[in-house]
Amino acid sequence: MLKSKLNWRRPLFYLLLPVLLVMVFLGFPLPVAPPPAIKPAQEQSDTVKKRKGHGEGG
């Protein structure tokens, strides 16, 4: 019959054992690539309206 009260330490140990072994050989924290650099957004230029009059031709 299955035990009604399961021990949580043994399954936890066997689940974390591969992670611990990998960390032993690769080091802590695990070597992961840095996220790619975010490119700055291109500046949006406003359309320049030409002024009327004021010294043009006349």
Side-chain angles (χ1 to χ4, degrees):
M1 213 65 196
L2 289 173
K3 295 180 182 178
S4 60
K5 188 176 182 181
L6 292 175
N7 189 358
W8 56 271
R9 289 182 183 171
R10 186 178 299 263
L12 184 67
F13 173 75
Y14 284 114
L15 287 174
L16 293 180
L17 185 63
V19 176
L20 294 174
L21 286 176
V22 168
M23 285 179 13
V24 164
F25 289 107
L26 294 182
F28 180 82
L30 293 176
V32 293
I38 299 173
K39 294 180 181 177
Q42 185 176 3
E43 294 182 9
Q44 299 294 327
S45 59
D46 296 330
T47 56
V48 178
K49 296 180 181 177
K50 291 185 179 179
R51 295 184 182 181
K52 294 182 181 176
H54 297 307
E56 285 188 21

